[in-house]
Amino acid sequence: MTVDRHIAAPSPGSAEMKGLQVQPTASIRNEVPDRQPGDTNIVRWGFDLHPQVSFIAGGLLILFIAGTLLFQEQANLIFSNTLNFISSTFGWFYILAANVYLIVMVIFAFSKFGKIRLGGPNARPEFTTFAWYAMLISAGMGIGLMFWSVGEPIFHMEAPPPLFPDVEPGSAAAAQVAMGITYYHWGLHPWGLYALVGLSLGFFAFNRGLPLTIRSVFYPILGEGIYGFWGNLIDILSVLATLFGLATSLGFGVQQVAAGLNFLFGLPDTTIFQVILIAIITGFATMSVVAGLDGGVRRLSEWNIYIASAFLLFMLIAGPTLFIMGTFTQSLGFYAQILPSLSFWTESFEGTTWQSGWTVFYWGWWISWSPFVGMFIARVSKGRTVKEFILGVIILPSLLSFLWMSTFGGSALWLQLSGTADIEGAVNANVATALFEMLSYFPLTSITSLVGIILVTFFFVTSSDSGSLVVDHLTSGGKLDSPVPQRIFWAVMEGVVAAVLLLGGGLGALQTASITTGLPFAVVLLIMCYSLYRGLAEDWEILETDELREKVGEFSPAQPALAE
C-alpha cells in the first residue's frame, strides 16, 4: 500500500508508516467483497467526495460559520444557554457513558476476546513495541496538556469540587484534591474511550475487510445498511464531532500562543490577534498539505515528542524535583481511592453546576476528539491482541499524562503553597498565561517560554494537518487517496471553525462546541460497544471452531486406507 502522506507521529525503529488511511484486509472473512471505498463518490472539479456525507456536513458547517459571524452577540448568548442546558439535562448521561466505555474495555481485555488478534491469528505487529508506545504517547501529548497542565490544578485548589465540602480552598488538602481531579480528567476514562474507538475501527478494517470509517463498525447491526442512510448519518456525526473537537483544541492552542507572545514580546493578546494567528498557523498546515512533504510532517511530529520530552525533563530537574515525584506518587494513590465515587458523581444532592465547566466539558471534548485519535491508534495497531491493545492504550499514556500534570501542575502548586508566587491570580486573570507565569519563577524563563510557544504551534500544525486527513478520509467514503484541493478545504475549514468559535464567545464557545457535538456521538459510541461485542463474538466462535478442528485432527487416529 502506498499513500502520499505520513500521519503526524513518530515511528522510530519501526516499519515505515504510510498514514491513517489503510487498505482494509480480512483474515477470517470478507464482508462485502463487491464494494469498494468511495464507489459512489462524485469526482469533479478536483474533488472526490462522498455526496451525502460531504455536502451535508459541509453545509451544516457553513451555516454555523455564517450564523455565528452575522449574529455574534446573539451567538454568545446561544452558546452560553446551550452549554447550561446540555450540562444540566444530559450531564448525568455523559458521566454514565464514560464509565460504560471504560468498563466495557476492561471486560473485553480480560475476557476470552482478549486473545483475538487484529488482522487475524497469523498477523504480526507492523511496528516494534517501543515504536508503538511512542506513537500512542504522541496521540495524547498535545495542545490540551500544554494548556491545562498549570491552570487546572490551580483552579481546583482554589475552588475544590462540591464533592469535597470539608476541604479548605487553597490548603494542602485542596492541592491533593486538585491533582486527583486532574488525574481523573486526563487518565483512564479518556484513554478508555480512545481504546474503544481505536479497537472498533481496527477490528472491522483488519479482521473484516471494511473501510477504515466509523460506519464500518456498525456492520453487525446494519449489514450493508452501513452504505445507506444510517451509515451516512454516522459518518456525518463523526465529521462534525471531529471538526469541532479539533477546533476546540486549536482554539485553546492559539489562545496560549497569543498569551506567550504577549508575555515575551508584548504583542496584543486580543481575539482579533488570535484569529490572525489561526490564519497564519493554518496557512502553514495548508502548505504542508499542498506540498505533501512526508518527511517534513513526520519529522515535525517527531520533534514534538523530542522537544516535549526535553521540556518535561528540564522541569523535573529545574523544578521542585522531590515535590514533583512525591506529588506524582501520592496523587496516584489518591486517584485510586476516589475514583469509584468520583466516576459516578453527578452533583444530584449538592444541587451545584461545577461539572458543566469541567467533567462534562472534558467528556464531550474527548468524545468529539475520539474519531481522530481512534483512527490513528487503529492504523498503527495491526497485529496486536485485543488485550495488548486495550492495556497498552489505557495504562501507559495515562501514566505519562499523570507525570506531565504532576511536573507542571505540581510545580505551580508548590509555588502557590510556599507563597513564592501568586499563580492563582494569573490563572484567574487569563488561564492561557498560567504556564508562562509559572515558568517565570524558574531558570531560563525566556528560553522555556519560547519552547512552550513552539511546542503549541507545532502541535497546532500537526493536529490540523492530520485532522484534515481524517476528515477527508471520512468524507471520501474511506478512499486511500483523495485530491489535494479536498484536503486543503478541510484544513482551512478547521481553522475557520476555531476562529469563529473564538469570535462567538471565546472559551465558553469552545466548551459548548465540544459538548454539543459530543452528545449525539456519545450515543453512537454506546451502540458501538454492542456492535464491537457482536463482531468479536462472531470471530471468537470461528476461532474456537478452527482450534477444535485442529485438536480433533491432532488426536484422531489415522484411518486405514480402504481396500480396492
Side-chain angles (χ1 to χ4, degrees):
M1 177 198 62
T2 301
V3 177
D4 68 339
R5 293 189 45 71
H6 290 293
I7 182 59
S11 54
S14 67
E16 185 178 20
M17 182 167 59
K18 295 293 186 181
L20 283 175
Q21 308 174 62
V22 298
Q23 180 67 48
T25 58
S27 57
I28 292 180
R29 64 177 76 194
N30 198 320
E31 298 289 2
V32 278
D34 58 326
R35 296 299 301 263
Q36 295 295 323
D39 55 8
T40 61
N41 282 9
I42 294 176
V43 183
R44 192 174 300 172
W45 303 310
F47 287 82
D48 189 351
L49 299 169
H50 188 288
Q52 291 85 1
V53 175
S54 299
F55 295 146
I56 294 175
L60 290 173
L61 283 170
I62 291 171
L63 284 175
F64 168 80
I65 291 167
T68 304
L69 291 177
L70 290 173
F71 307 102
Q72 287 189 33
E73 292 185 6
Q74 295 89 333
N76 195 2
L77 180 62
I78 291 172
F79 288 148
S80 177
N81 290 338
T82 302
L83 178 64
N84 293 333
F85 172 75
I86 293 179
S87 299
S88 61
T89 307
F90 297 102
W92 66 270
F93 173 73
Y94 268 121
I95 300 299
L96 184 60
N99 285 293
V100 170
Y101 306 146
L102 178 60
I103 291 170
V104 166
M105 286 296 95
V106 173
I107 291 174
F108 284 177
F110 292 99
S111 71
K112 58 187 179 182
F113 300 148
K115 299 178 182 178
I116 295 176
R117 190 174 294 275
L118 295 181
N122 299 320
R124 290 296 176 265
E126 295 178 315
F127 305 98
T128 66
T129 300
F130 173 79
W132 184 60
Y133 279 127
M135 289 183 281
L136 294 182
I137 295 164
S138 74
M141 290 287 292
I143 292 172
L145 284 172
M146 293 291 295
F147 189 89
W148 289 108
S149 59
V150 172
E152 181 171 356
I154 293 294
F155 268 128
H156 297 328
M157 185 179 75
E158 69 173 66
L163 183 63
F164 304 94
D166 298 329
V167 173
E168 181 183 352
S171 64
Q176 178 172 271
V177 168
M179 290 307 303
I181 297 294
T182 303
Y183 277 21
Y184 171 51
H185 290 153
W186 294 86
L188 301 180
H189 283 79
W191 285 103
L193 163 64
Y194 296 152
L196 169 64
V197 179
L199 178 61
S200 300
L201 286 167
F203 175 78
F204 284 97
F206 298 131
N207 294 58
R208 296 301 182 89
L210 293 166
L212 193 69
T213 59
I214 302 296
R215 69 170 74 205
S216 298
V217 176
F218 298 90
Y219 191 89
I221 299 173
L222 298 175
E224 291 201 37
I226 63 171
Y227 297 99
F229 170 80
W230 291 109
N232 293 335
L233 179 61
I234 289 167
D235 274 355
I236 289 168
L237 289 174
S238 302
V239 169
L240 294 175
T242 302
L243 277 169
F244 280 102
L246 279 166
T248 300
S249 296
L250 301 184
F252 284 144
V254 81
Q255 285 184 329
Q256 194 164 36
V257 170
L261 292 174
N262 174 265
F263 178 81
L264 281 179
F265 307 112
L267 296 177
D269 186 8
T270 62
T271 302
I272 297 300
F273 183 63
Q274 291 169 8
V275 171
I276 293 172
L277 286 175
I278 286 178
I280 294 172
I281 302 174
T282 300
F284 289 136
T286 304
M287 289 168 59
S288 175
V289 170
V290 173
L293 298 176
D294 294 349
V297 176
R298 181 176 174 183
R299 282 195 298 268
L300 184 62
S301 61
E302 288 176 349
W303 275 105
N304 280 347
I305 300 302
Y306 298 147
I307 296 173
S309 299
F311 197 30
L312 177 66
L313 183 62
F314 172 81
M315 280 306 303
L316 276 170
I317 296 172
T321 306
L322 294 179
F323 183 86
I324 290 170
M325 297 312 300
T327 297
F328 172 73
T329 304
Q330 183 170 323
S331 298
L332 277 176
F334 185 71
Y335 170 62
Q337 175 188 339
I338 65 173
L339 186 61
S341 59
L342 184 61
S343 297
F344 292 91
W345 177 55
T346 61
E347 298 182 278
S348 297
F349 300 112
E350 293 85 355
T352 53
T353 59
W354 180 89
Q355 284 185 319
S356 64
W358 289 107
T359 306
V360 173
F361 156 64
Y362 272 124
W363 290 177
W365 188 15
W366 301 145
I367 288 170
S368 62
W369 185 253
S370 63
F372 170 52
V373 179
M375 196 172 290
F376 168 70
I377 293 174
R379 165 60 190 92
V380 301
S381 299
K382 184 178 181 180
R384 305 286 170 182
T385 65
V386 168
K387 182 176 183 179
E388 181 184 12
F389 176 94
I390 292 173
L391 296 182
V393 170
I394 292 178
I395 294 176
L396 182 63
S398 294
L399 288 174
L400 287 171
S401 295
F402 297 160
L403 180 60
W404 184 277
M405 287 296 188
S406 296
T407 301
F408 290 90
S411 296
L413 292 175
W414 177 79
L415 290 171
Q416 188 69 38
L417 289 170
S418 65
T420 304
D422 183 20
I423 306 298
E424 177 183 327
V427 169
N428 289 330
N430 183 359
V431 65
T433 67
L435 174 66
F436 306 106
E437 184 67 25
M438 185 271 292
L439 291 174
S440 69
Y441 289 89
F442 296 101
L444 306 176
T445 299
S446 297
I447 295 175
T448 55
S449 297
L450 185 60
V451 168
I453 294 172
I454 292 171
L455 263 180
V456 176
T457 303
F458 281 7
F459 280 129
F460 188 123
V461 172
T462 54
S463 295
S464 178
D465 185 25
S466 303
S468 64
L469 196 150
V470 171
V471 174
D472 178 67
H473 190 67
L474 293 170
T475 54
S476 64
K479 291 195 72 170
L480 298 179
D481 295 293
S482 54
V484 170
Q486 192 165 310
R487 298 183 186 180
I488 294 174
F489 173 80
W490 292 117
V492 171
M493 189 64 74
E494 290 161 10
V496 170
V497 172
V500 167
L501 287 172
L502 289 176
L503 291 170
L507 181 60
L510 295 173
Q511 292 176 319
T512 303
S514 290
I515 290 176
T516 304
T517 56
L519 182 60
F521 203 66
V523 178
V524 171
L525 294 184
L526 286 175
I527 303 172
M528 182 182 288
C529 293
Y530 174 68
S531 188
L532 177 59
Y533 166 77
R534 287 270 302 268
L536 291 172
E538 290 170 3
D539 264 33
W540 179 255
E541 183 179 349
I542 293 172
L543 289 172
E544 271 194 321
T545 302
D546 291 343
E547 289 178 2
L548 180 60
R549 286 174 181 167
E550 290 178 4
K551 290 179 180 178
V552 170
E554 181 180 344
F555 292 105
S556 295
Q559 299 296 322
L562 294 175
E564 296 184 4

